[in-house]
Amino acid sequence: MYHVNPATTSLLVLLLLAFSRLSASKKKDCSCYQTSLGSNPALTFAHYEFYDFRSIEAKSNDDLSKPPPRIIGSEDTGQEPVTSSYFQSPDFSSAWQIQNWSQGNTSSAPVEMVNSPRNIYILDDSSKSTHLTLRTSRLSSFQSTSELSTTATNLFHASIRVRARLFGPSGVVAGLFLYADAKNETDTELRTRDPLSTVRLTNQPGTDSDGQIIPDASSAVGIPMGVGTHAAMNGSREEWNEYRVDWQQGLTEWVVNNQSVARKEYGVPTVGMHFNINLWSNGGEWSGEVGVGGVATLDVEWVELAYNVTGGDGQGQCEVVCGLDGQAGLGSPRLEGGGGGKLEAGSLGVMMSVVLCWALWMLVANR
């Protein structure tokens, strides 16, 4: 019969609990958040939010099995109600605004745009999970479009990640972008007129006062295949891809499927901004024009935001540091250190491994 020392067993349990805290943490456990992939040195942020659209439950009168009816010609004011009770919940409505503004046609943008709340909905797809969808459709007299914006307008430096895919005919633009004004805007854009494997990355303004393209402002790059757990099926906008932008002082870096694809020092924003997701077309040179009856959709599984706000927070000492990269699970930043400053995860991991091995040896020796 084996005898196990109760004290040794208790120590082993405590060590296992400590390891579980290293693997994943709740938001309330963290006082700051750091990147470890992409930008070097690591970026530090005071705020963190994770919006997961993969498991939204249908409430009464919600039908997640099919898209809501498309906008028709007489619905040209954007006054349609939201499509799901989820959009009225505090968790969503306190953080996001569904837009309903419109933009008239001009010589350079010949098709009027009207944003409608009915073009943003939750859909339960064939994989038995849900996702957020933005839709745009072309009518004979206008383009019915969609846009979602954060209620916070004072984001000041951030690491923002979105997992999304885009389907649709030529003439549509999907935008994931930070915006304050014409001189403070950072764009990640997918154009359906481009090859399937192309994503466009820009710090505005992209043209000078004479309308000439500024070479350093924008890049068109290929969507990488991805690596490890971030791997995409292929380099196509129609597959799920993770689009990320890291905005810091003097530098913007774009990362797609865990691979850095562009870094720019030109046009880096210098003021507080808000984050937006939209799907649009105005018939202009940038988007192209959608044929009447054409429909495009942008599906979004989740949005992750780590950020500071205007006022300079996030620059001081962190009591508990949590890592954004190499998480145990999405939405669970990895606990890396504490006790009044950053504690290197690698050093802590070695120390814990030695102690755990000792505890296991003691457990066996006392049998």
Side-chain angles (χ1 to χ4, degrees), residues 340-362:
K342 181 181 178 182
L343 183 60
E344 293 296 330
S347 300
L348 183 60
V350 171
M351 179 182 69
M352 291 293 288
S353 297
V354 171
V355 177
L356 182 58
C357 287
W358 171 83
L360 288 171
W361 180 85
M362 289 293 293

Side-chain angles (χ1 to χ4, degrees), residues 301-362:
E301 280 197 329
W302 48 260
V303 178
E304 185 176 42
L305 301 96
Y307 60 95
N308 293 324
V309 298
T310 51
D313 62 0
Q315 304 305 312
Q317 191 177 49
C318 299
E319 292 184 0
V320 181
V321 180
C322 291
L324 297 173
D325 304 306
Q327 301 177 29
L330 285 169
S332 299
R334 183 179 179 87
L335 189 62
E336 293 192 345
K342 181 181 178 182
L343 183 60
E344 293 296 330
S347 300
L348 183 60
V350 171
M351 179 182 69
M352 291 293 288
S353 297
V354 171
V355 177
L356 182 58
C357 287
W358 171 83
L360 288 171
W361 180 85
M362 289 293 293

Side-chain angles (χ1 to χ4, degrees), residues 62-71 83-84 117-125 131-136 295-297 299:
D62 286 349
D63 185 0
L64 309 185
S65 64
K66 59 184 178 181
R70 296 180 195 171
I71 296 298
T83 59
S84 170
R118 195 192 296 166
N119 285 330
I120 298 180
Y121 49 92
I122 301 294
L123 194 62
D124 193 345
D125 63 21
H131 58 257
L132 175 75
T133 294
L134 284 76
R135 179 177 64 190
T136 185
V295 179
T297 55
D299 298 331

Side-chain angles (χ1 to χ4, degrees), residues 73-86:
S74 59
E75 297 172 314
D76 59 357
T77 61
Q79 299 305 307
E80 296 74 36
V82 296
T83 59
S84 170
S85 56
Y86 169 72

Side-chain angles (χ1 to χ4, degrees), residues 50-318:
F50 185 74
Y51 302 96
D52 193 347
F53 305 116
R54 296 171 299 173
S55 56
I56 304 299
E57 295 183 0
K59 305 297 183 182
S60 59
N61 300 321
D62 286 349
D63 185 0
L64 309 185
S65 64
K66 59 184 178 181
R70 296 180 195 171
I71 296 298
I72 61 176
S74 59
E75 297 172 314
D76 59 357
T77 61
Q79 299 305 307
E80 296 74 36
V82 296
T83 59
S84 170
S85 56
Y86 169 72
F87 297 134
Q88 297 173 317
S89 67
D91 285 348
F92 182 88
S93 62
S94 64
W96 298 94
Q97 292 179 330
I98 294 177
Q99 302 296 324
N100 66 352
W101 53 265
S102 59
Q103 185 177 82
N105 61 330
T106 65
S107 58
S108 60
V111 178
E112 180 183 5
M113 296 195 308
V114 181
N115 284 302
S116 170
R118 195 192 296 166
N119 285 330
I120 298 180
Y121 49 92
I122 301 294
L123 194 62
D124 193 345
D125 63 21
S126 57
S127 65
K128 301 187 183 300
S129 66
T130 58
H131 58 257
L132 175 75
T133 294
L134 284 76
R135 179 177 64 190
T136 185
S137 59
R138 176 65 195 276
L139 293 88
S140 59
S141 56
F142 66 95
Q143 183 84 29
S144 182
T145 53
S146 50
E147 181 164 302
L148 193 60
S149 305
T150 59
T151 55
T153 60
N154 61 342
L155 309 184
F156 191 71
H157 301 154
S159 180
I160 300 176
R161 302 106 186 271
V162 180
R163 184 167 167 85
R165 63 184 181 186
L166 172 65
F167 302 97
S170 180
V172 173
V173 179
L176 313 170
F177 64 105
L178 287 153
Y179 180 81
D181 53 50
K183 293 184 177 180
N184 290 276
E185 178 179 351
T186 292
D187 299 331
T188 301
E189 292 180 298
L190 298 164
R191 305 193 312 176
T192 55
R193 67 188 300 180
D194 283 334
L196 286 172
S197 60
T198 298
V199 58
R200 293 183 178 265
L201 316 166
T202 307
N203 274 341
Q204 300 288 355
T207 57
D208 61 24
S209 57
D210 296 324
Q212 300 299 309
I213 294 175
I214 299 172
D216 295 336
S218 185
S219 299
V221 303
I223 297 173
M225 295 289 287
V227 294
T229 58
H230 296 267
M233 292 178 64
N234 57 52
S236 168
R237 63 173 176 263
E238 294 184 346
E239 303 296 342
W240 290 112
N241 295 291
E242 182 180 322
Y243 301 97
R244 166 181 165 183
V245 62
D246 286 355
W247 164 38
Q248 59 181 297
Q249 184 173 352
L251 179 67
T252 308
E253 180 174 15
W254 287 265
V255 178
V256 180
N257 293 330
N258 214 31
Q259 296 188 37
S260 178
V261 293
R263 292 164 63 93
K264 295 187 181 298
E265 296 180 0
Y266 164 83
V268 178
T270 57
V271 300
M273 302 198 287
H274 53 95
F275 180 66
N276 310 267
I277 304 173
N278 67 6
L279 192 63
W280 62 277
S281 176
N282 61 10
E285 183 179 355
W286 182 252
S287 68
E289 187 169 346
V290 181
V292 174
V295 179
T297 55
L298 175 67
D299 298 331
V300 178
E301 280 197 329
W302 48 260
V303 178
E304 185 176 42
L305 301 96
Y307 60 95
N308 293 324
V309 298
T310 51
D313 62 0
Q315 304 305 312
Q317 191 177 49
C318 299

